[in-house]
Amino acid sequence: MIVDILKYTGLFLLLLLLQVFVLNRVMVGYSYGFLFKPQIYIMLILLLPPAIKHNYLILISFFIGLTIDMFTNTMGINAAACTLIGFSRGYITRNIDNEISARDEDNRIWTSKKSTGWKMIYFITLITVHHFIVFTVENLGENFLTRILPTILVSVFLSFFLILMLEDILFKPAKNR
Amino acid sequence: MNAIFAFLKQYFHVLLFLVLEIFCTICIIRYNSYQATFYFNGSRRISGKVSSLNNELYDYFGLYHKNEELVKENIALRRRLKENFLVEPRTSFVVNDTLYKQRYEYIPALVITNTTSNKDNYITINRGKSSGIDKNMGVFGPDGIIGEVVDASDNFAIVKSVLNSKTTVTPKIQELGYSRGKVRWVDISDPGYVYLEDINRYEPVKVGYHITTSPYSQFYPENIPIGIIESIEQPKNQTFYKIKVKLSTNFGNISTVYVVKNLFRNELVELEYNVIRMNNAKQGRK
């Protein structure tokens, strides 16, 4: 339990650093820079253990979003999106705990025990919801088709691949260690 | 009570979610100026729509008063219409030209009283000697002749209208181009018509010909309309037509008139008088 908390705290710090000091400052290109805004910190919300209580999930999501907001100076936007993701994630992963905890012998992350297809859908759906809310609220419907929608599409795929990569790197199967 | 607690326990996460989202929304509006303007603009738009709807409703109930106001305004504007006014140059304008000598001067006036039902009808106008109006001046309106001044005080003048048994006007038949006969008001019952008398039955007059003032008139300038020939009767055993002329002026509603001042009249009258006197003297000498 404590180990889990420490693990997730470490992951949170790592994601925070990556998000705030690397990804938010990288500028890809000049005229199309607005397209590349990956938000990988939500990986933490996606990877929180399914056994966690729904209330805690919502609260933790909220605080994660709020922390990011403090660094990016967009008070409340990321928090709102994260709270929504945490809330909906609670319903998605409600019954997973029973499926995988039965065969939880090594300390692998729980997502690696699910099928790749499920994982992709799970990731992409929640990332899309989050990005949609964040970018829409950020620009509030102005130039939706020309600016917001492309940003959402590009950033969702970037975030998705970055999160997949990070998950692969950080949570390697135990036999490779 | 227990049921409420149970309900709260079961749906606490929903409650938590909603509370946090509301908190986030407040944060967004509070700390992000761009989103705040959007929010305030939107809310203003909605409240503006509601209040305009309200206004429309009250406008509908206020239509009666609005209508009244409009009628009042209309009347006020109508009073200021150009037709109600008269250009009144107190100092009548006189042209001092060596080639064209001005013969007539026009003095505008307003009708104060007017009758059409009597045998001898008179019109009172609001100008008198102070405006240069005196006896024996012709009066015409925008549509045609009206009469001649018979008397004038300082500020008023009495006009003997065409609808008077003592009035005769020398007419010109516009289409024929010469003066014949005289115009008199005979049919006392009808103020719309006068009769053109003393027209020989061999004159080629036709219905529809225009009757205007003659150049030989003492009172009027030439070509002021009198009326249009309405019907031509030929009484048996008589050499003259009985020609009914529809007056071009509607005497029922004359309001603005122009008094004609013949600048040569005194001279002419004096000359004619002298001639007559000399004739009389000659005859007397004989």
Short mmCIF file of all heavy atoms in Angstrom, two decimals, chain A residues 3-12 15 42-52 89 93 96-97 99-101 103-116 118-119 122-123 163-175 177:
data_model
loop_
_atom_site.label_atom_id
_atom_site.label_comp_id
_atom_site.label_asym_id
_atom_site.label_seq_id
_atom_site.Cartn_x
_atom_site.Cartn_y
_atom_site.Cartn_z
N VAL A 3 4.00 1.35 -0.57
CA VAL A 3 4.84 1.29 -1.77
C VAL A 3 4.09 1.83 -2.97
O VAL A 3 4.63 2.60 -3.77
CB VAL A 3 5.29 -0.17 -2.03
CG1 VAL A 3 6.12 -0.24 -3.29
CG2 VAL A 3 6.04 -0.72 -0.84
N ASP A 4 2.83 1.44 -3.04
CA ASP A 4 2.01 1.91 -4.15
C ASP A 4 1.92 3.45 -4.14
O ASP A 4 2.11 4.10 -5.17
CB ASP A 4 0.59 1.33 -4.04
CG ASP A 4 0.52 -0.02 -4.74
OD1 ASP A 4 1.51 -0.36 -5.42
OD2 ASP A 4 -0.49 -0.72 -4.60
N ILE A 5 1.65 3.97 -2.93
CA ILE A 5 1.52 5.43 -2.82
C ILE A 5 2.81 6.10 -3.26
O ILE A 5 2.81 7.08 -4.02
CB ILE A 5 1.15 5.82 -1.38
CG1 ILE A 5 -0.29 5.37 -1.06
CG2 ILE A 5 1.26 7.33 -1.18
CD1 ILE A 5 -0.67 5.53 0.36
N LEU A 6 3.93 5.56 -2.78
CA LEU A 6 5.22 6.15 -3.15
C LEU A 6 5.45 6.06 -4.65
O LEU A 6 5.89 7.03 -5.28
CB LEU A 6 6.35 5.42 -2.40
CG LEU A 6 6.52 5.84 -0.94
CD1 LEU A 6 7.57 4.98 -0.26
CD2 LEU A 6 6.90 7.31 -0.85
N LYS A 7 5.13 4.88 -5.19
CA LYS A 7 5.30 4.68 -6.63
C LYS A 7 4.52 5.74 -7.41
O LYS A 7 5.04 6.40 -8.31
CB LYS A 7 4.76 3.30 -7.02
CG LYS A 7 5.80 2.23 -7.27
CD LYS A 7 5.04 1.04 -7.83
CE LYS A 7 5.93 -0.18 -7.88
NZ LYS A 7 5.14 -1.38 -8.24
N TYR A 8 3.24 5.92 -7.02
CA TYR A 8 2.40 6.85 -7.77
C TYR A 8 2.84 8.29 -7.54
O TYR A 8 2.75 9.13 -8.43
CB TYR A 8 0.92 6.65 -7.40
CG TYR A 8 0.33 5.48 -8.16
CD1 TYR A 8 -0.03 4.31 -7.52
CD2 TYR A 8 0.14 5.58 -9.54
CE1 TYR A 8 -0.56 3.24 -8.22
CE2 TYR A 8 -0.38 4.51 -10.24
CZ TYR A 8 -0.74 3.35 -9.58
OH TYR A 8 -1.24 2.30 -10.29
N THR A 9 3.33 8.58 -6.32
CA THR A 9 3.85 9.92 -6.07
C THR A 9 5.04 10.21 -6.97
O THR A 9 5.16 11.29 -7.56
CB THR A 9 4.24 10.09 -4.60
OG1 THR A 9 3.19 9.56 -3.79
CG2 THR A 9 4.48 11.53 -4.25
N GLY A 10 5.92 9.20 -7.06
CA GLY A 10 7.09 9.36 -7.94
C GLY A 10 6.66 9.57 -9.37
O GLY A 10 7.17 10.45 -10.07
N LEU A 11 5.68 8.77 -9.81
CA LEU A 11 5.17 8.90 -11.17
C LEU A 11 4.58 10.31 -11.38
O LEU A 11 4.82 10.96 -12.41
CB LEU A 11 4.10 7.85 -11.42
CG LEU A 11 3.47 7.83 -12.82
CD1 LEU A 11 4.53 7.54 -13.86
CD2 LEU A 11 2.36 6.81 -12.89
N PHE A 12 3.85 10.77 -10.38
CA PHE A 12 3.25 12.09 -10.46
C PHE A 12 4.31 13.16 -10.64
O PHE A 12 4.20 14.04 -11.52
CB PHE A 12 2.43 12.35 -9.19
CG PHE A 12 1.91 13.75 -9.08
CD1 PHE A 12 1.03 14.26 -10.03
CD2 PHE A 12 2.31 14.58 -8.04
CE1 PHE A 12 0.56 15.55 -9.93
CE2 PHE A 12 1.84 15.87 -7.95
CZ PHE A 12 0.96 16.35 -8.90
N LEU A 15 5.89 12.93 -14.10
CA LEU A 15 4.99 13.44 -15.14
C LEU A 15 4.87 14.96 -15.07
O LEU A 15 4.85 15.64 -16.10
CB LEU A 15 3.61 12.81 -15.01
CG LEU A 15 3.52 11.34 -15.39
CD1 LEU A 15 2.16 10.78 -15.03
CD2 LEU A 15 3.77 11.17 -16.87
N ILE A 42 -2.05 13.23 -17.66
CA ILE A 42 -3.26 12.49 -17.33
C ILE A 42 -3.00 10.99 -17.28
O ILE A 42 -3.86 10.22 -16.84
CB ILE A 42 -4.39 12.78 -18.33
CG1 ILE A 42 -3.89 12.61 -19.76
CG2 ILE A 42 -4.97 14.15 -18.13
CD1 ILE A 42 -4.99 12.66 -20.77
N MET A 43 -1.83 10.60 -17.76
CA MET A 43 -1.44 9.19 -17.65
C MET A 43 -1.58 8.70 -16.21
O MET A 43 -1.99 7.56 -15.96
CB MET A 43 0.01 9.07 -18.11
CG MET A 43 0.60 7.70 -17.99
SD MET A 43 2.32 7.82 -18.44
CE MET A 43 2.88 6.20 -18.04
N LEU A 44 -1.28 9.59 -15.27
CA LEU A 44 -1.38 9.19 -13.86
C LEU A 44 -2.82 8.84 -13.51
O LEU A 44 -3.07 7.83 -12.84
CB LEU A 44 -0.90 10.35 -12.98
CG LEU A 44 -0.86 10.07 -11.49
CD1 LEU A 44 0.10 8.95 -11.18
CD2 LEU A 44 -0.47 11.31 -10.73
N ILE A 45 -3.76 9.65 -13.98
CA ILE A 45 -5.17 9.36 -13.69
C ILE A 45 -5.58 8.05 -14.35
O ILE A 45 -6.30 7.23 -13.77
CB ILE A 45 -6.06 10.51 -14.20
CG1 ILE A 45 -5.67 11.82 -13.52
CG2 ILE A 45 -7.53 10.22 -13.94
CD1 ILE A 45 -6.22 13.04 -14.20
N LEU A 46 -5.05 7.83 -15.56
CA LEU A 46 -5.42 6.61 -16.27
C LEU A 46 -4.84 5.37 -15.60
O LEU A 46 -5.43 4.29 -15.67
CB LEU A 46 -4.93 6.69 -17.73
CG LEU A 46 -5.48 7.85 -18.56
CD1 LEU A 46 -4.85 7.85 -19.95
CD2 LEU A 46 -6.99 7.74 -18.67
N LEU A 47 -3.68 5.55 -14.96
CA LEU A 47 -3.00 4.37 -14.43
C LEU A 47 -3.24 4.15 -12.93
O LEU A 47 -2.71 3.19 -12.38
CB LEU A 47 -1.49 4.50 -14.66
CG LEU A 47 -1.04 4.46 -16.13
CD1 LEU A 47 0.47 4.43 -16.21
CD2 LEU A 47 -1.63 3.28 -16.85
N LEU A 48 -4.00 5.02 -12.30
CA LEU A 48 -4.29 4.80 -10.87
C LEU A 48 -4.93 3.42 -10.70
O LEU A 48 -5.69 2.98 -11.58
CB LEU A 48 -5.24 5.89 -10.35
CG LEU A 48 -4.59 7.22 -9.98
CD1 LEU A 48 -5.67 8.24 -9.65
CD2 LEU A 48 -3.65 7.08 -8.82
N PRO A 49 -4.64 2.76 -9.61
CA PRO A 49 -5.17 1.39 -9.45
C PRO A 49 -6.69 1.34 -9.52
O PRO A 49 -7.36 2.23 -9.00
CB PRO A 49 -4.68 0.98 -8.06
CG PRO A 49 -4.26 2.25 -7.41
CD PRO A 49 -3.82 3.17 -8.49
N PRO A 50 -7.24 0.35 -10.18
CA PRO A 50 -8.70 0.27 -10.32
C PRO A 50 -9.40 0.02 -9.00
O PRO A 50 -10.60 0.24 -8.90
CB PRO A 50 -8.89 -0.90 -11.28
CG PRO A 50 -7.64 -1.67 -11.22
CD PRO A 50 -6.54 -0.73 -10.91
N ALA A 51 -8.66 -0.42 -8.01
CA ALA A 51 -9.30 -0.72 -6.74
C ALA A 51 -9.58 0.56 -5.94
O ALA A 51 -10.26 0.52 -4.92
CB ALA A 51 -8.40 -1.64 -5.92
N ILE A 52 -9.06 1.66 -6.40
CA ILE A 52 -9.20 2.91 -5.65
C ILE A 52 -10.67 3.31 -5.60
O ILE A 52 -11.44 3.04 -6.53
CB ILE A 52 -8.33 4.01 -6.30
CG1 ILE A 52 -8.15 5.19 -5.35
CG2 ILE A 52 -8.95 4.49 -7.59
CD1 ILE A 52 -7.09 6.15 -5.84
N ARG A 89 -13.71 7.72 -15.39
CA ARG A 89 -12.84 6.55 -15.26
C ARG A 89 -13.35 5.62 -14.16
O ARG A 89 -13.25 4.40 -14.27
CB ARG A 89 -11.41 6.98 -14.93
CG ARG A 89 -10.37 6.07 -15.46
CD ARG A 89 -9.19 5.95 -14.51
NE ARG A 89 -9.42 4.90 -13.53
CZ ARG A 89 -8.46 4.35 -12.83
NH1 ARG A 89 -7.21 4.76 -12.96
NH2 ARG A 89 -8.72 3.39 -11.97
N THR A 93 -13.56 1.61 -14.97
CA THR A 93 -12.71 0.60 -14.32
C THR A 93 -13.36 0.05 -13.05
O THR A 93 -12.69 -0.49 -12.18
CB THR A 93 -11.36 1.22 -13.95
OG1 THR A 93 -11.60 2.36 -13.11
CG2 THR A 93 -10.60 1.65 -15.17
N ILE A 96 -12.99 -3.88 -13.06
CA ILE A 96 -11.73 -4.48 -13.48
C ILE A 96 -11.02 -5.12 -12.31
O ILE A 96 -10.36 -6.16 -12.45
CB ILE A 96 -10.85 -3.40 -14.16
CG1 ILE A 96 -11.38 -3.14 -15.56
CG2 ILE A 96 -9.40 -3.83 -14.22
CD1 ILE A 96 -10.71 -2.01 -16.25
N ASP A 97 -11.16 -4.51 -11.16
CA ASP A 97 -10.44 -4.98 -9.98
C ASP A 97 -10.62 -6.48 -9.74
O ASP A 97 -9.65 -7.20 -9.53
CB ASP A 97 -10.94 -4.19 -8.77
CG ASP A 97 -10.02 -4.40 -7.59
OD1 ASP A 97 -8.81 -4.55 -7.84
OD2 ASP A 97 -10.52 -4.39 -6.45
N GLU A 99 -11.36 -8.72 -11.90
CA GLU A 99 -10.78 -9.55 -12.96
C GLU A 99 -9.29 -9.78 -12.75
O GLU A 99 -8.79 -10.90 -12.90
CB GLU A 99 -10.97 -8.86 -14.32
CG GLU A 99 -12.40 -8.90 -14.82
CD GLU A 99 -12.53 -8.09 -16.10
OE1 GLU A 99 -11.55 -8.04 -16.88
OE2 GLU A 99 -13.60 -7.49 -16.30
N ILE A 100 -8.56 -8.68 -12.43
CA ILE A 100 -7.10 -8.85 -12.43
C ILE A 100 -6.50 -9.09 -11.05
O ILE A 100 -5.46 -9.73 -10.94
CB ILE A 100 -6.38 -7.66 -13.09
CG1 ILE A 100 -7.14 -6.37 -12.86
CG2 ILE A 100 -6.16 -7.91 -14.55
CD1 ILE A 100 -6.50 -5.20 -13.55
N SER A 101 -7.14 -8.62 -10.02
CA SER A 101 -6.51 -8.81 -8.70
C SER A 101 -6.39 -10.28 -8.36
O SER A 101 -5.54 -10.69 -7.57
CB SER A 101 -7.32 -8.08 -7.63
OG SER A 101 -8.65 -8.59 -7.66
N ARG A 103 -5.26 -12.58 -10.25
CA ARG A 103 -3.98 -13.13 -10.72
C ARG A 103 -2.89 -12.06 -10.62
O ARG A 103 -2.13 -11.84 -11.54
CB ARG A 103 -4.10 -13.65 -12.15
CG ARG A 103 -4.85 -12.71 -13.08
CD ARG A 103 -5.18 -13.44 -14.35
NE ARG A 103 -5.99 -12.60 -15.23
CZ ARG A 103 -5.49 -11.77 -16.14
NH1 ARG A 103 -4.22 -11.65 -16.31
NH2 ARG A 103 -6.30 -11.07 -16.88
N ASP A 104 -2.86 -11.38 -9.51
CA ASP A 104 -1.89 -10.30 -9.32
C ASP A 104 -0.68 -10.82 -8.55
O ASP A 104 -0.51 -10.54 -7.37
CB ASP A 104 -2.59 -9.15 -8.55
CG ASP A 104 -1.74 -7.91 -8.58
OD1 ASP A 104 -0.78 -7.86 -9.37
OD2 ASP A 104 -2.04 -6.97 -7.81
N GLU A 105 0.15 -11.59 -9.25
CA GLU A 105 1.29 -12.16 -8.53
C GLU A 105 2.52 -11.25 -8.57
O GLU A 105 3.17 -11.01 -7.58
CB GLU A 105 1.65 -13.55 -9.07
CG GLU A 105 1.95 -13.66 -10.56
CD GLU A 105 0.69 -13.84 -11.40
OE1 GLU A 105 -0.39 -14.02 -10.80
OE2 GLU A 105 0.78 -13.80 -12.62
N ASP A 106 2.84 -10.66 -9.75
CA ASP A 106 3.97 -9.72 -9.80
C ASP A 106 3.47 -8.29 -9.66
O ASP A 106 2.26 -8.04 -9.65
CB ASP A 106 4.77 -9.87 -11.11
CG ASP A 106 3.85 -9.93 -12.29
OD1 ASP A 106 2.66 -9.58 -12.12
OD2 ASP A 106 4.29 -10.30 -13.38
N ASN A 107 4.37 -7.34 -9.62
CA ASN A 107 3.98 -5.96 -9.38
C ASN A 107 3.84 -5.16 -10.64
O ASN A 107 4.14 -3.98 -10.68
CB ASN A 107 5.04 -5.30 -8.48
CG ASN A 107 4.81 -5.70 -7.05
OD1 ASN A 107 3.67 -5.88 -6.63
ND2 ASN A 107 5.89 -5.87 -6.31
N ARG A 108 3.37 -5.82 -11.66
CA ARG A 108 3.19 -5.08 -12.91
C ARG A 108 1.98 -4.12 -12.80
O ARG A 108 1.07 -4.33 -12.02
CB ARG A 108 2.97 -6.06 -14.08
CG ARG A 108 4.24 -6.75 -14.48
CD ARG A 108 4.05 -7.48 -15.76
NE ARG A 108 3.08 -8.55 -15.63
CZ ARG A 108 2.43 -9.08 -16.65
NH1 ARG A 108 2.64 -8.59 -17.86
NH2 ARG A 108 1.60 -10.06 -16.47
N ILE A 109 2.05 -3.08 -13.66
CA ILE A 109 0.93 -2.14 -13.67
C ILE A 109 -0.29 -2.88 -14.23
O ILE A 109 -0.17 -3.75 -15.10
CB ILE A 109 1.29 -0.90 -14.52
CG1 ILE A 109 0.26 0.23 -14.36
CG2 ILE A 109 1.42 -1.23 -15.98
CD1 ILE A 109 0.48 0.99 -13.10
N TRP A 110 -1.46 -2.47 -13.76
CA TRP A 110 -2.65 -3.27 -14.09
C TRP A 110 -3.02 -3.19 -15.56
O TRP A 110 -3.59 -4.12 -16.11
CB TRP A 110 -3.83 -2.86 -13.23
CG TRP A 110 -4.25 -1.41 -13.40
CD1 TRP A 110 -3.73 -0.36 -12.76
CD2 TRP A 110 -5.24 -0.92 -14.28
NE1 TRP A 110 -4.32 0.79 -13.16
CE2 TRP A 110 -5.27 0.48 -14.11
CE3 TRP A 110 -6.12 -1.52 -15.20
CZ2 TRP A 110 -6.14 1.28 -14.83
CZ3 TRP A 110 -6.97 -0.71 -15.89
CH2 TRP A 110 -6.98 0.69 -15.72
N THR A 111 -2.67 -2.07 -16.22
CA THR A 111 -3.04 -1.97 -17.64
C THR A 111 -2.36 -2.99 -18.51
O THR A 111 -2.89 -3.39 -19.55
CB THR A 111 -2.71 -0.57 -18.16
OG1 THR A 111 -1.42 -0.21 -17.69
CG2 THR A 111 -3.72 0.45 -17.72
N SER A 112 -1.18 -3.41 -18.11
CA SER A 112 -0.44 -4.35 -18.96
C SER A 112 -1.10 -5.72 -18.94
O SER A 112 -0.79 -6.58 -19.76
CB SER A 112 1.01 -4.45 -18.49
OG SER A 112 1.03 -4.83 -17.14
N LYS A 113 -2.04 -5.89 -18.03
CA LYS A 113 -2.72 -7.20 -17.99
C LYS A 113 -3.97 -7.21 -18.86
O LYS A 113 -4.57 -8.25 -19.07
CB LYS A 113 -3.10 -7.54 -16.55
CG LYS A 113 -1.89 -7.90 -15.72
CD LYS A 113 -2.26 -7.94 -14.26
CE LYS A 113 -0.99 -8.00 -13.42
NZ LYS A 113 -1.27 -7.70 -12.01
N LYS A 114 -4.35 -6.04 -19.29
CA LYS A 114 -5.52 -6.00 -20.18
C LYS A 114 -5.06 -6.17 -21.62
O LYS A 114 -3.87 -6.03 -21.95
CB LYS A 114 -6.23 -4.65 -20.03
CG LYS A 114 -6.80 -4.38 -18.66
CD LYS A 114 -7.96 -5.27 -18.33
CE LYS A 114 -9.20 -4.83 -19.07
NZ LYS A 114 -10.37 -5.67 -18.66
N SER A 115 -6.03 -6.41 -22.49
CA SER A 115 -5.67 -6.60 -23.90
C SER A 115 -5.28 -5.26 -24.52
O SER A 115 -5.69 -4.20 -24.06
CB SER A 115 -6.88 -7.17 -24.65
OG SER A 115 -7.89 -6.21 -24.71
N THR A 116 -4.49 -5.33 -25.58
CA THR A 116 -4.00 -4.09 -26.21
C THR A 116 -5.14 -3.26 -26.76
O THR A 116 -5.15 -2.03 -26.64
CB THR A 116 -3.03 -4.42 -27.35
OG1 THR A 116 -2.27 -5.56 -26.96
CG2 THR A 116 -2.11 -3.27 -27.66
N TRP A 118 -8.30 -3.08 -25.77
CA TRP A 118 -9.04 -2.41 -24.67
C TRP A 118 -8.25 -1.21 -24.17
O TRP A 118 -8.79 -0.13 -23.94
CB TRP A 118 -9.25 -3.40 -23.52
CG TRP A 118 -10.09 -2.83 -22.41
CD1 TRP A 118 -11.42 -2.90 -22.29
CD2 TRP A 118 -9.60 -2.08 -21.28
NE1 TRP A 118 -11.84 -2.24 -21.16
CE2 TRP A 118 -10.74 -1.73 -20.53
CE3 TRP A 118 -8.32 -1.69 -20.85
CZ2 TRP A 118 -10.63 -1.02 -19.34
CZ3 TRP A 118 -8.24 -0.98 -19.68
CH2 TRP A 118 -9.38 -0.63 -18.93
N LYS A 119 -6.95 -1.44 -24.04
CA LYS A 119 -6.09 -0.38 -23.52
C LYS A 119 -6.11 0.85 -24.45
O LYS A 119 -6.23 1.98 -23.99
CB LYS A 119 -4.65 -0.92 -23.41
CG LYS A 119 -3.86 -0.23 -22.34
CD LYS A 119 -2.67 -1.06 -21.91
CE LYS A 119 -1.59 -1.01 -22.96
NZ LYS A 119 -0.38 -1.78 -22.48
N TYR A 122 -9.42 2.61 -24.23
CA TYR A 122 -9.50 3.25 -22.92
C TYR A 122 -8.67 4.53 -22.90
O TYR A 122 -9.14 5.59 -22.50
CB TYR A 122 -9.00 2.24 -21.89
CG TYR A 122 -8.75 2.78 -20.50
CD1 TYR A 122 -9.80 3.27 -19.72
CD2 TYR A 122 -7.46 2.78 -19.95
CE1 TYR A 122 -9.56 3.73 -18.45
CE2 TYR A 122 -7.22 3.24 -18.67
CZ TYR A 122 -8.27 3.72 -17.93
OH TYR A 122 -8.03 4.18 -16.67
N PHE A 123 -7.44 4.42 -23.37
CA PHE A 123 -6.57 5.59 -23.39
C PHE A 123 -7.14 6.69 -24.29
O PHE A 123 -7.30 7.84 -23.88
CB PHE A 123 -5.17 5.21 -23.88
CG PHE A 123 -4.30 4.61 -22.81
CD1 PHE A 123 -3.01 4.19 -23.09
CD2 PHE A 123 -4.76 4.47 -21.51
CE1 PHE A 123 -2.20 3.65 -22.10
CE2 PHE A 123 -3.98 3.93 -20.52
CZ PHE A 123 -2.68 3.51 -20.82
N ILE A 163 2.15 8.47 -24.03
CA ILE A 163 1.72 7.74 -22.82
C ILE A 163 2.00 6.25 -22.98
O ILE A 163 2.49 5.59 -22.05
CB ILE A 163 0.22 8.01 -22.55
CG1 ILE A 163 0.05 9.43 -22.02
CG2 ILE A 163 -0.33 7.01 -21.54
CD1 ILE A 163 -1.37 9.87 -21.91
N LEU A 164 1.72 5.72 -24.19
CA LEU A 164 2.01 4.30 -24.43
C LEU A 164 3.49 4.02 -24.23
O LEU A 164 3.89 3.05 -23.58
CB LEU A 164 1.59 3.92 -25.84
CG LEU A 164 0.20 3.34 -26.03
CD1 LEU A 164 0.04 2.83 -27.46
CD2 LEU A 164 -0.07 2.23 -25.04
N MET A 165 4.34 4.90 -24.81
CA MET A 165 5.79 4.72 -24.70
C MET A 165 6.23 4.77 -23.26
O MET A 165 6.97 3.90 -22.78
CB MET A 165 6.52 5.83 -25.48
CG MET A 165 6.80 5.48 -26.92
SD MET A 165 7.29 6.96 -27.82
CE MET A 165 8.66 7.50 -26.83
N LEU A 166 5.76 5.78 -22.53
CA LEU A 166 6.16 5.95 -21.14
C LEU A 166 5.73 4.75 -20.31
O LEU A 166 6.48 4.25 -19.48
CB LEU A 166 5.50 7.21 -20.57
CG LEU A 166 6.39 8.43 -20.46
CD1 LEU A 166 5.61 9.58 -19.89
CD2 LEU A 166 7.61 8.14 -19.58
N GLU A 167 4.48 4.30 -20.60
CA GLU A 167 3.99 3.15 -19.85
C GLU A 167 4.88 1.94 -20.10
O GLU A 167 5.21 1.19 -19.18
CB GLU A 167 2.55 2.85 -20.26
CG GLU A 167 1.84 1.87 -19.36
CD GLU A 167 0.97 0.91 -20.13
OE1 GLU A 167 0.92 1.01 -21.37
OE2 GLU A 167 0.34 0.07 -19.47
N ASP A 168 5.28 1.77 -21.37
CA ASP A 168 6.15 0.65 -21.73
C ASP A 168 7.50 0.77 -21.05
O ASP A 168 8.06 -0.22 -20.57
CB ASP A 168 6.33 0.62 -23.25
CG ASP A 168 5.75 -0.66 -23.83
OD1 ASP A 168 4.82 -1.19 -23.18
OD2 ASP A 168 6.23 -1.09 -24.88
N ILE A 169 8.03 1.99 -21.05
CA ILE A 169 9.37 2.19 -20.49
C ILE A 169 9.36 2.01 -18.97
O ILE A 169 10.19 1.31 -18.40
CB ILE A 169 9.91 3.58 -20.85
CG1 ILE A 169 10.15 3.69 -22.35
CG2 ILE A 169 11.20 3.89 -20.10
CD1 ILE A 169 10.32 5.11 -22.84
N LEU A 170 8.39 2.64 -18.33
CA LEU A 170 8.38 2.67 -16.87
C LEU A 170 7.96 1.33 -16.27
O LEU A 170 8.50 0.91 -15.25
CB LEU A 170 7.44 3.77 -16.37
CG LEU A 170 7.88 5.21 -16.68
CD1 LEU A 170 6.84 6.18 -16.19
CD2 LEU A 170 9.22 5.50 -16.01
N PHE A 171 6.98 0.72 -16.91
CA PHE A 171 6.44 -0.51 -16.31
C PHE A 171 6.74 -1.71 -17.19
O PHE A 171 5.86 -2.28 -17.82
CB PHE A 171 4.95 -0.37 -16.08
CG PHE A 171 4.59 0.82 -15.26
CD1 PHE A 171 4.10 1.97 -15.84
CD2 PHE A 171 4.76 0.78 -13.87
CE1 PHE A 171 3.77 3.07 -15.09
CE2 PHE A 171 4.42 1.88 -13.12
CZ PHE A 171 3.94 3.02 -13.71
N LYS A 172 8.04 -2.04 -17.22
CA LYS A 172 8.43 -3.20 -18.01
C LYS A 172 8.03 -4.48 -17.28
O LYS A 172 7.96 -4.49 -16.05
CB LYS A 172 9.93 -3.19 -18.24
CG LYS A 172 10.31 -2.37 -19.45
CD LYS A 172 11.80 -2.36 -19.63
CE LYS A 172 12.18 -1.49 -20.82
NZ LYS A 172 13.61 -1.23 -20.84
N PRO A 173 7.75 -5.49 -18.04
CA PRO A 173 7.46 -6.78 -17.39
C PRO A 173 8.62 -7.20 -16.49
O PRO A 173 9.79 -6.92 -16.77
CB PRO A 173 7.30 -7.74 -18.56
CG PRO A 173 6.91 -6.86 -19.70
CD PRO A 173 7.57 -5.54 -19.48
N ALA A 174 8.30 -7.89 -15.46
CA ALA A 174 9.26 -8.20 -14.42
C ALA A 174 10.41 -9.06 -14.94
O ALA A 174 11.54 -8.97 -14.46
CB ALA A 174 8.56 -8.92 -13.28
N LYS A 175 10.12 -9.91 -15.94
CA LYS A 175 11.16 -10.84 -16.40
C LYS A 175 12.32 -10.11 -17.05
O LYS A 175 13.42 -10.62 -17.11
CB LYS A 175 10.56 -11.86 -17.37
CG LYS A 175 9.89 -11.21 -18.57
CD LYS A 175 9.21 -12.30 -19.41
CE LYS A 175 8.44 -11.59 -20.55
NZ LYS A 175 7.70 -12.55 -21.35
N ARG A 177 13.71 -7.43 -15.99
CA ARG A 177 14.52 -6.71 -15.03
C ARG A 177 15.75 -7.50 -14.64
O ARG A 177 15.66 -8.72 -14.55
CB ARG A 177 13.70 -6.40 -13.79
CG ARG A 177 13.29 -4.94 -13.80
CD ARG A 177 12.52 -4.59 -12.59
NE ARG A 177 11.47 -3.62 -12.99
CZ ARG A 177 10.42 -3.37 -12.26
NH1 ARG A 177 10.24 -3.99 -11.10
NH2 ARG A 177 9.53 -2.51 -12.67
#
